Amino acid sequence: MTLSSYTNEDKVLLAVDCIIFGFDSEELKLLLVKRGFEPEKGKWSLIGGFLKKEENLDIAAARVLHHLTGLHDIYMEQLYTHSKVDRDPADRTLSVAYYALIDIAKHDKELIKQNSAQWFPLKKAPELIFDHNEMVKRAMARLKRRALSKPIGFELLPEKFTMRQLQKLYEAILGKKLDKRNFISKFNSFDILIKLDEKDMSSSKKGAFLFKFDEEKYSRKVEDGFNFKI
Amino acid sequence: MTLSSYTNEDKVLLAVDCIIFGFDSEELKLLLVKRGFEPEKGKWSLIGGFLKKEENLDIAAARVLHHLTGLHDIYMEQLYTHSKVDRDPADRTLSVAYYALIDIAKHDKELIKQNSAQWFPLKKAPELIFDHNEMVKRAMARLKRRALSKPIGFELLPEKFTMRQLQKLYEAILGKKLDKRNFISKFNSFDILIKLDEKDMSSSKKGAFLFKFDEEKYSRKVEDGFNFKI
DNA sequence: TAAAAAAAGTGTTTATTAAACACTTAAAGA
DNA sequence: TCTTTAAGTGTTTAATAAACACTTTTTTTA
C-alpha cells in the first residue's frame, strides 16, 4: 500500500482550552488566567495552549493543566471543538474545549500565582476573551448532566468529606436547593460511601461524620450497569 | 492593539467525518462509502473531507454531506474530535465527527451511486477504516441519549408517518421493544403531533392513520422548558 | 448550671411516573 | 361469511420522587 499524503489541504492551528472547576464547600469556582500576550493581553481567559504534532488532544489538555497547577491525573473530558472563522483575531485557530474537575485545596498555589491565575466564583467570573464564555456555559451544562448520571462530584471534594459538603456541591452544580433527607437516602441507596469514625468539627458544635468514596464498590456497580441517577 | 501571530506553533490537517443515519421503517441504516484513494483504498469508510481555511466545522460537515447526498439543511451535530497521533497513517490528521439524520427516501440515489456509497443496516455494517468504528459507536450512544430527551426522530421519518413507524424508529434507536400502549400515551402527552385524515394502507388492511410533527407547538414547548423524556 | 443556639441526624406519607397487561375494531381476501 | 392481520384503545399495579418536622449533640452565654 502506498501512503499518499494530503498535500493540497489547508492546515490550521489547534488550541486546547481548559475549563477548570473547583469547589470551596460553598460554591463552584473557575480558574482563570490574565492573558500575558496579544491579542487581548491583560484580559481574563481560560488557560490554553497549542496542540503539538506529537501529542493527542487529551495529552495536550493534561499538559496545559499540569503546567498551570502542578497537578497530574486529573479528571478531564473533551467538550466541543470551536471553529468560528474569526474567533481568534490573530490567526485562524480552532480550539478544543476540555473541562477539568480538581480539588481546590490541592493545586500549587505559588505556581498559579506565577501564572497570574486566580479562582473566581462562577457567578462572579469576569467576561472572557474570544468564545471562552460560551465554552464555560457548555462546560457547566455538561457538568450538570454528568452529575445527574454518575457520582462525578468526588473529583471536586477532598478525600474525606461530610454529607453536608457533598450535598452543597450537588446544589452548586445543579443550581438548586435539595432536601437533606431525600438527598442522603438517595445517595445511600447507591451504597458507594464509606462512613469513617472521624468527625469534622469545623462547621458545627456537634461535629459531622466524615465519609469517603468507595472506588472499588463504585467500579463494581458501574460494571453491573447500575444507574446513579440523582 | 497589535495582533501578533502564533508563528512557532504546529499546524495540523483537520478532517470532518459524518456518521449518516437513515431509517427504512424497520431498522437504522448507515451510509458508507468505498474509499477511492490511498491509504486504505477500497475499504469502507464514513464520508469525510478536509476543513478549508474559510469554513467553520458545521459548514464543512454540511458541505461534505451535501456533496454526497445532494441534501441541504440536514440535522447535524458535532460529536467528538479524534486525535490519536497515528490515526491516519498517511499524515497527521485530526478528525471531527459529526452525525447526521436524514430521511432515507430523500437523498439523490444517482449521486450516492456515483460516489460509491451504500446504505448498510447498522448491525450488518462492514469494518471501517481508521477509528471510524469508534465514531459510529459514539454517534449511536449520542443518538440514543438525544432520543430519550427530545423528539429528534422526526428527522429520520418522512413528513407523514404512522404511530407504528414512529414506535419502530424508537425501538431501533433504543435497541429494545416498547409497549404499544405505553408508547402512544407517552407520546400523546407531549402533544406535538397532528393527526391527519389520511391513512397509510401499505402495511395493513385496516389502514393506519398518518400523523405529522407539529413544529410550532414543539418550539413553544421547548421555550417553556417542557421535558420530552421518553 | 440552665437555657439558648446551631447544625447533625433521622422516616413516613403522598404524589407522580413507569410498567405490565388483553381485548375489540376494521377491512381485505379466501 | 369466515379468516386473517394489524390498528387502536384504558386500567391496574409497582416503583420512584417529593414533601415534610422533630430530636440529638455540644458549645456558648446568661
Side-chain angles (χ1 to χ4, degrees), chain A residues 2-218:
Chain A
T2 329
L3 293 187
S4 61
S5 194
Y6 315 112
T7 43
N8 292 319
E9 307 293 343
D10 297 337
K11 292 193 172 189
V12 294
L13 281 166
L14 205 48
V16 291
D17 284 303
C18 301
I19 299 98
I20 305 172
F21 288 111
F23 178 67
D24 71 352
S25 292
E26 282 302 322
E27 53 186 356
L28 276 178
K29 297 193 163 184
L30 211 50
L31 188 56
L32 301 173
V33 284
K34 196 173 263 181
R35 194 166 153 104
F37 51 91
E38 295 294 350
E40 303 278 15
K41 184 172 172 176
K43 298 219 178 143
W44 291 97
S45 143
L46 297 172
I47 62 153
F50 288 98
L51 178 76
K52 296 181 192 298
K53 266 239 153 62
E54 68 280 6
E55 292 174 326
N56 66 34
L57 287 164
D58 290 358
I59 302 276
R63 168 175 57 79
V64 163
L65 182 65
H66 176 252
H67 186 258
L68 181 74
T69 62
L71 295 172
H72 284 290
D73 299 323
I74 294 301
Y75 183 90
M76 297 189 87
E77 204 176 320
Q78 190 195 115
L79 275 173
Y80 195 78
T81 301
H82 294 256
S83 63
K84 241 175 70 184
V85 171
D86 55 357
R87 54 177 296 286
D88 181 334
D91 213 334
R92 172 71 166 128
T93 304
L94 285 81
S95 172
V96 184
Y98 272 77
Y99 80 97
L101 304 181
I102 75 181
D103 174 359
I104 208 164
K106 276 201 186 123
H107 62 78
D108 181 335
K109 288 201 180 60
E110 258 321 298
L111 196 53
I112 80 154
K113 206 184 286 179
Q114 276 170 37
N115 287 294
S116 26
Q118 196 178 309
W119 285 100
F120 287 90
L122 204 55
K123 288 162 205 156
K124 291 169 198 158
E127 277 297 299
L128 304 177
I129 63 165
F130 304 169
D131 44 12
H132 288 193
N133 290 303
E134 192 199 330
M135 291 181 181
V136 173
K137 230 168 109 188
R138 258 181 209 273
M140 204 46 228
R142 176 82 65 103
L143 179 58
K144 211 177 273 190
R145 199 149 49 69
R146 279 283 179 282
L148 288 171
S149 65
K150 60 182 200 174
I152 201 180
F154 300 112
E155 307 290 344
L156 288 160
L157 290 173
E159 201 194 333
K160 300 171 184 180
F161 50 84
T162 66
M163 287 308 268
R164 201 63 55 223
Q165 284 175 289
L166 187 61
Q167 186 184 338
K168 278 264 168 68
L169 170 59
Y170 273 82
E171 290 179 340
I173 293 175
L174 302 177
K176 62 177 182 190
K177 287 263 170 264
L178 299 172
D179 179 272
K180 189 160 61 160
R181 285 162 291 183
N182 290 341
F183 179 80
I184 290 175
S185 60
K186 186 71 181 181
F187 229 99
N188 280 341
S189 76
F190 297 161
D191 185 28
I192 50 170
L193 294 184
I194 299 167
K195 187 174 185 170
L196 304 175
D197 281 335
E198 278 172 271
K199 278 190 162 188
D200 170 279
M201 305 303 294
S202 66
S203 64
S204 84
K205 292 153 190 175
K206 187 178 175 182
F209 278 104
L210 288 164
F211 290 77
K212 66 180 189 183
F213 179 46
D214 189 335
E215 293 217 40
E216 205 175 306
K217 265 193 187 169
Y218 173 65

Side-chain angles (χ1 to χ4, degrees), chain A residues 1-7 9-14 35 37-41 50-58 78-85 88-94 96 98 130 142 145-146 229, chain B residues 1-7 9-14 35 37-41 50-58 78-85 88-94 96 98 130 142 145-146 229:
Chain A
M1 187 180 74
T2 329
L3 293 187
S4 61
S5 194
Y6 315 112
T7 43
E9 307 293 343
D10 297 337
K11 292 193 172 189
V12 294
L13 281 166
L14 205 48
R35 194 166 153 104
F37 51 91
E38 295 294 350
E40 303 278 15
K41 184 172 172 176
F50 288 98
L51 178 76
K52 296 181 192 298
K53 266 239 153 62
E54 68 280 6
E55 292 174 326
N56 66 34
L57 287 164
D58 290 358
Q78 190 195 115
L79 275 173
Y80 195 78
T81 301
H82 294 256
S83 63
K84 241 175 70 184
V85 171
D88 181 334
D91 213 334
R92 172 71 166 128
T93 304
L94 285 81
V96 184
Y98 272 77
F130 304 169
R142 176 82 65 103
R145 199 149 49 69
R146 279 283 179 282
K229 197 173 147 300
Chain B
M1 186 180 79
T2 329
L3 295 188
S4 60
S5 196
Y6 315 112
T7 44
E9 306 293 345
D10 297 338
K11 293 194 171 186
V12 294
L13 280 166
L14 204 49
R35 195 166 152 105
F37 51 92
E38 295 294 347
E40 303 278 16
K41 184 171 171 177
F50 288 99
L51 179 74
K52 295 179 191 299
K53 266 236 153 64
E54 68 280 6
E55 291 174 325
N56 67 33
L57 288 165
D58 289 358
Q78 191 194 112
L79 276 173
Y80 194 77
T81 300
H82 295 256
S83 65
K84 242 175 70 188
V85 171
D88 182 335
D91 212 334
R92 172 71 166 129
T93 303
L94 286 82
V96 184
Y98 273 76
F130 303 170
R142 176 82 65 100
R145 199 150 47 69
R146 279 282 178 284
K229 195 171 148 305

Side-chain angles (χ1 to χ4, degrees), chain B residues 50-81:
Chain B
F50 288 99
L51 179 74
K52 295 179 191 299
K53 266 236 153 64
E54 68 280 6
E55 291 174 325
N56 67 33
L57 288 165
D58 289 358
I59 302 276
R63 168 174 58 77
V64 163
L65 181 64
H66 175 252
H67 187 257
L68 182 72
T69 63
L71 295 172
H72 286 289
D73 298 324
I74 293 301
Y75 183 90
M76 298 189 87
E77 206 176 319
Q78 191 194 112
L79 276 173
Y80 194 77
T81 300

